[in-house]
Amino acid sequence: MEITSPTRGTKRKYSGYQIKRALSGGNDSEIAKQSNTIQAQGTELKAWRSGLESEEDVIFHQPPPNQMASGARPRHYNDNYYQGLYSTESEFAILGQKYPEFGAVLKDGTQLDFTDPAAVMQLTKTLLKEDFGLQIDLPPDRLCPPVPNRHNYLLWLKDLLDSSSSSYREQYEPERRVTGLDIGTGASLIYPLLGCVQRPWHFIATDVDFKSLSYARLNARLNNLESRIRIVGRDASASLIPLDELNVSTIDFVMVNPPFYASDAELLKLAAQKSRPPYSACTGAPVEMVCEGGEIGFVQRMINESLVLRERVQWYTAMLGKQSSLKVLIDTLRRHHINNYAVKAFIQGNKTRRWAIGWSFVTRRPSLSASRGHDYFATKRLLPPITEIIIGGPFPKVNREAIPRHERALCDAMESLDLVSWFWDKQRLRGVGFADGNVWSRAYRRRRAAGDFPVKQLAASSVLEVATCAFGFSVSLRVGKDPGDLYGSVAVVLRWLQGDDHSLFESFVGMIRGRLETSGAGSTRE
Ligand code: SAH
């Protein structure tokens, strides 16, 4: 496949390599487990790479060249580009030709030895340069992050934040100022670097390890990101989320890839099972791998701090190396009556390797894709409540021409309710509404008819006014674009955007379904 790159004016040819499989793993112990050499494969990269370097795809301002002179040039493409990264395979050989330093660690110019720490480190550096325009320096005795796995965490965070923002827009808002805290950023500074390239975000990055901190500072400088990444040294016994000490009132998220193991013994046992040296560039130094209570202990410390900080952070999140930790932590959240949480599986290749958990004291609900990570979860019991339902999609006989009729029907239905606010966006075919409670129940309507409540005026939504409403939702008309079977057909998508009480959403869905059934809607799908 030949792909034209508009700004470079060159044609690049990609075929395939097993990068996403080979690079899977969080604290990287998995890499060594992978076969010694990975054979080049013939899968071609899809066209998502094409056209992404054109002017209109640059999503935010790049520093002028003189500011970049000493460092790398982080590249800012649109979300589709980042979404597509590592979803297909490309080829080591091509990368090796483009980057001689990578070519030098390949065997026969095509194969990578994943037991060789130097080769693995070079792969990480090369991918960061090729796919993000980032440059990093790493010591040989600290963790070398596999890029696809770390990138997955960022993709999830974007989904989580975009789908639960205070504007209720359910989409990326370039003007939103977002600050995140990366606990234990490591020598690579990987998360802040990946985050700053993709979004105009700011980071606070902490660590307890002197050597990692000095490399992290170097890596911020190498990429001219010192003004957006604040690097802070911490004591191991000090708080993990030190907002007061840093004089910060609120932030948008906390992220962490915690030390996974509770003791050296646990780590050594695992290393022995995988027949590899315990502390290599792939696994990291003891401070990176081991902490009291392992990952469960670390995240429970975060939960305890979050019980005090509460809404001062919108999303508390953590990556986990063991699926079994999820259950323990979700039980802890539930014990504390935290029911707005999210789980995600990070998958590379055919295998699930890592998991993530997020929780919030803010009642804005994230998308289904962000909160119920993957169908893959064997135990549905662990998942948070459903936040999205598709009704009657597609209506069998409805086509594009019928959209105005559907818009009218939906708006009529909403306007007949005692909502605090309702706003229909004609362009997006999407309405957002808020209610103080179940204002569609028969009981409510009966009391209303008897004059028990004063008549409310529908107001345009003021953020302050709706933020405390018991129930917030969006209703969208989704028009099928697939020329196959859904072309021109219309479905109704209901989203639970706000509230603590899932039964309100369920009952709201029932009400809408009932109204649509009269217009011939089909079955309900999650
Ligand atoms: N974020 C990096 C490194 C993860 S390893 C990556 O994903 O590759 C875990 C990191 O947490 C190490 O750098 C370790 O030094 C740091 N760490 C351990 N305990 C910590 C604490 N109490 N506060 C902040 N960082 C800590």
Side-chain angles (χ1 to χ4, degrees), residues 229-249:
I229 306 173
R230 180 176 171 189
I231 297 170
V232 180
R234 301 288 296 159
D235 279 342
S237 57
S239 62
L240 296 172
I241 312 171
L243 295 193
D244 288 332
E245 284 164 71
L246 298 176
N247 216 6
V248 174
S249 59

mmCIF file of all heavy atoms in Angstrom, residues 229-249:
data_model
loop_
_atom_site.group_PDB
_atom_site.id
_atom_site.type_symbol
_atom_site.label_atom_id
_atom_site.label_comp_id
_atom_site.label_asym_id
_atom_site.label_seq_id
_atom_site.Cartn_x
_atom_site.Cartn_y
_atom_site.Cartn_z
ATOM 1 N N ILE A 229 4.540 20.818 31.863
ATOM 2 C CA ILE A 229 4.703 19.668 32.762
ATOM 3 C C ILE A 229 5.500 20.109 33.995
ATOM 4 O O ILE A 229 6.651 20.529 33.877
ATOM 5 C CB ILE A 229 5.441 18.503 32.063
ATOM 6 C CG1 ILE A 229 4.740 18.133 30.753
ATOM 7 C CG2 ILE A 229 5.490 17.289 32.993
ATOM 8 C CD1 ILE A 229 5.500 17.115 29.906
ATOM 9 N N ARG A 230 4.848 20.022 35.131
ATOM 10 C CA ARG A 230 5.509 20.398 36.387
ATOM 11 C C ARG A 230 5.964 19.108 37.065
ATOM 12 O O ARG A 230 5.137 18.254 37.399
ATOM 13 C CB ARG A 230 4.471 21.139 37.231
ATOM 14 C CG ARG A 230 4.917 21.616 38.563
ATOM 15 C CD ARG A 230 3.756 22.409 39.183
ATOM 16 N NE ARG A 230 4.027 22.730 40.574
ATOM 17 C CZ ARG A 230 3.127 23.253 41.398
ATOM 18 N NH1 ARG A 230 1.900 23.527 40.964
ATOM 19 N NH2 ARG A 230 3.448 23.535 42.643
ATOM 20 N N ILE A 231 7.260 18.959 37.242
ATOM 21 C CA ILE A 231 7.789 17.707 37.795
ATOM 22 C C ILE A 231 8.129 17.909 39.281
ATOM 23 O O ILE A 231 8.837 18.845 39.637
ATOM 24 C CB ILE A 231 9.013 17.240 36.990
ATOM 25 C CG1 ILE A 231 8.558 16.949 35.550
ATOM 26 C CG2 ILE A 231 9.639 16.000 37.616
ATOM 27 C CD1 ILE A 231 9.666 16.712 34.572
ATOM 28 N N VAL A 232 7.585 17.022 40.108
ATOM 29 C CA VAL A 232 7.672 17.219 41.559
ATOM 30 C C VAL A 232 8.196 15.955 42.239
ATOM 31 O O VAL A 232 7.635 14.872 42.061
ATOM 32 C CB VAL A 232 6.254 17.530 42.128
ATOM 33 C CG1 VAL A 232 6.318 17.743 43.630
ATOM 34 C CG2 VAL A 232 5.628 18.738 41.441
ATOM 35 N N GLY A 233 9.241 16.092 43.022
ATOM 36 C CA GLY A 233 9.764 14.961 43.803
ATOM 37 C C GLY A 233 8.927 14.776 45.064
ATOM 38 O O GLY A 233 8.489 15.741 45.676
ATOM 39 N N ARG A 234 8.693 13.506 45.437
ATOM 40 C CA ARG A 234 7.871 13.215 46.622
ATOM 41 C C ARG A 234 8.569 12.200 47.512
ATOM 42 O O ARG A 234 9.393 11.413 47.043
ATOM 43 C CB ARG A 234 6.515 12.614 46.200
ATOM 44 C CG ARG A 234 5.672 13.452 45.301
ATOM 45 C CD ARG A 234 5.072 14.635 45.998
ATOM 46 N NE ARG A 234 4.130 14.250 47.051
ATOM 47 C CZ ARG A 234 3.781 15.070 48.051
ATOM 48 N NH1 ARG A 234 4.316 16.268 48.154
ATOM 49 N NH2 ARG A 234 2.917 14.669 48.966
ATOM 50 N N ASP A 235 8.169 12.189 48.776
ATOM 51 C CA ASP A 235 8.619 11.138 49.691
ATOM 52 C C ASP A 235 7.652 9.959 49.578
ATOM 53 O O ASP A 235 6.446 10.172 49.423
ATOM 54 C CB ASP A 235 8.565 11.633 51.138
ATOM 55 C CG ASP A 235 9.796 12.462 51.460
ATOM 56 O OD1 ASP A 235 10.780 12.342 50.704
ATOM 57 O OD2 ASP A 235 9.732 13.246 52.424
ATOM 58 N N ALA A 236 8.190 8.772 49.742
ATOM 59 C CA ALA A 236 7.337 7.582 49.600
ATOM 60 C C ALA A 236 6.186 7.571 50.600
ATOM 61 O O ALA A 236 5.118 7.030 50.329
ATOM 62 C CB ALA A 236 8.171 6.322 49.736
ATOM 63 N N SER A 237 6.408 8.185 51.755
ATOM 64 C CA SER A 237 5.348 8.139 52.777
ATOM 65 C C SER A 237 4.387 9.323 52.679
ATOM 66 O O SER A 237 3.382 9.373 53.390
ATOM 67 C CB SER A 237 5.981 8.105 54.164
ATOM 68 O OG SER A 237 6.815 9.235 54.282
ATOM 69 N N ALA A 238 4.714 10.284 51.830
ATOM 70 C CA ALA A 238 3.855 11.473 51.722
ATOM 71 C C ALA A 238 2.598 11.144 50.909
ATOM 72 O O ALA A 238 2.490 10.067 50.329
ATOM 73 C CB ALA A 238 4.624 12.605 51.045
ATOM 74 N N SER A 239 1.652 12.087 50.874
ATOM 75 C CA SER A 239 0.410 11.820 50.154
ATOM 76 C C SER A 239 0.686 11.642 48.662
ATOM 77 O O SER A 239 1.652 12.181 48.118
ATOM 78 C CB SER A 239 -0.588 12.954 50.377
ATOM 79 O OG SER A 239 -0.048 14.150 49.870
ATOM 80 N N LEU A 240 -0.180 10.885 48.028
ATOM 81 C CA LEU A 240 -0.004 10.613 46.599
ATOM 82 C C LEU A 240 -0.589 11.729 45.735
ATOM 83 O O LEU A 240 -0.151 11.957 44.612
ATOM 84 C CB LEU A 240 -0.683 9.283 46.236
ATOM 85 C CG LEU A 240 -0.105 8.039 46.901
ATOM 86 C CD1 LEU A 240 -0.966 6.819 46.627
ATOM 87 C CD2 LEU A 240 1.329 7.805 46.421
ATOM 88 N N ILE A 241 -1.613 12.392 46.271
ATOM 89 C CA ILE A 241 -2.308 13.434 45.485
ATOM 90 C C ILE A 241 -2.212 14.760 46.271
ATOM 91 O O ILE A 241 -3.161 15.162 46.933
ATOM 92 C CB ILE A 241 -3.782 13.035 45.249
ATOM 93 C CG1 ILE A 241 -3.869 11.581 44.758
ATOM 94 C CG2 ILE A 241 -4.459 13.985 44.261
ATOM 95 C CD1 ILE A 241 -5.285 11.009 44.701
ATOM 96 N N PRO A 242 -1.056 15.406 46.199
ATOM 97 C CA PRO A 242 -0.784 16.523 47.111
ATOM 98 C C PRO A 242 -1.314 17.872 46.618
ATOM 99 O O PRO A 242 -0.553 18.836 46.479
ATOM 100 C CB PRO A 242 0.754 16.535 47.166
ATOM 101 C CG PRO A 242 1.181 16.013 45.832
ATOM 102 C CD PRO A 242 0.104 15.112 45.322
ATOM 103 N N LEU A 243 -2.609 17.957 46.400
ATOM 104 C CA LEU A 243 -3.147 19.197 45.815
ATOM 105 C C LEU A 243 -2.859 20.415 46.695
ATOM 106 O O LEU A 243 -2.439 21.453 46.190
ATOM 107 C CB LEU A 243 -4.655 19.073 45.585
ATOM 108 C CG LEU A 243 -5.119 18.040 44.567
ATOM 109 C CD1 LEU A 243 -6.583 18.253 44.212
ATOM 110 C CD2 LEU A 243 -4.274 18.057 43.306
ATOM 111 N N ASP A 244 -3.079 20.272 48.010
ATOM 112 C CA ASP A 244 -2.868 21.432 48.877
ATOM 113 C C ASP A 244 -1.404 21.861 48.890
ATOM 114 O O ASP A 244 -1.095 23.038 48.746
ATOM 115 C CB ASP A 244 -3.359 21.137 50.302
ATOM 116 C CG ASP A 244 -4.888 21.098 50.346
ATOM 117 O OD1 ASP A 244 -5.518 21.787 49.512
ATOM 118 O OD2 ASP A 244 -5.436 20.352 51.172
ATOM 119 N N GLU A 245 -0.517 20.879 49.020
ATOM 120 C CA GLU A 245 0.914 21.224 49.047
ATOM 121 C C GLU A 245 1.351 21.919 47.763
ATOM 122 O O GLU A 245 2.245 22.753 47.764
ATOM 123 C CB GLU A 245 1.760 19.964 49.229
ATOM 124 C CG GLU A 245 1.756 19.439 50.647
ATOM 125 C CD GLU A 245 2.272 18.020 50.705
ATOM 126 O OE1 GLU A 245 3.483 17.821 50.507
ATOM 127 O OE2 GLU A 245 1.460 17.106 50.934
ATOM 128 N N LEU A 246 0.707 21.559 46.677
ATOM 129 C CA LEU A 246 1.083 22.160 45.390
ATOM 130 C C LEU A 246 0.256 23.407 45.091
ATOM 131 O O LEU A 246 0.390 23.999 44.019
ATOM 132 C CB LEU A 246 0.914 21.139 44.256
ATOM 133 C CG LEU A 246 1.785 19.894 44.371
ATOM 134 C CD1 LEU A 246 1.457 18.916 43.250
ATOM 135 C CD2 LEU A 246 3.259 20.274 44.334
ATOM 136 N N ASN A 247 -0.599 23.754 46.034
ATOM 137 C CA ASN A 247 -1.413 24.948 45.873
ATOM 138 C C ASN A 247 -2.339 24.875 44.654
ATOM 139 O O ASN A 247 -2.483 25.833 43.897
ATOM 140 C CB ASN A 247 -0.477 26.159 45.734
ATOM 141 C CG ASN A 247 -1.071 27.361 46.404
ATOM 142 O OD1 ASN A 247 -2.119 27.250 47.058
ATOM 143 N ND2 ASN A 247 -0.443 28.511 46.233
ATOM 144 N N VAL A 248 -2.903 23.729 44.461
ATOM 145 C CA VAL A 248 -3.790 23.510 43.322
ATOM 146 C C VAL A 248 -5.170 23.188 43.879
ATOM 147 O O VAL A 248 -5.297 22.313 44.738
ATOM 148 C CB VAL A 248 -3.295 22.302 42.485
ATOM 149 C CG1 VAL A 248 -4.279 21.956 41.393
ATOM 150 C CG2 VAL A 248 -1.920 22.599 41.908
ATOM 151 N N SER A 249 -6.198 23.889 43.428
ATOM 152 C CA SER A 249 -7.511 23.639 44.034
ATOM 153 C C SER A 249 -8.200 22.431 43.414
ATOM 154 O O SER A 249 -8.705 21.568 44.127
ATOM 155 C CB SER A 249 -8.395 24.881 43.963
ATOM 156 O OG SER A 249 -8.559 25.240 42.620
#
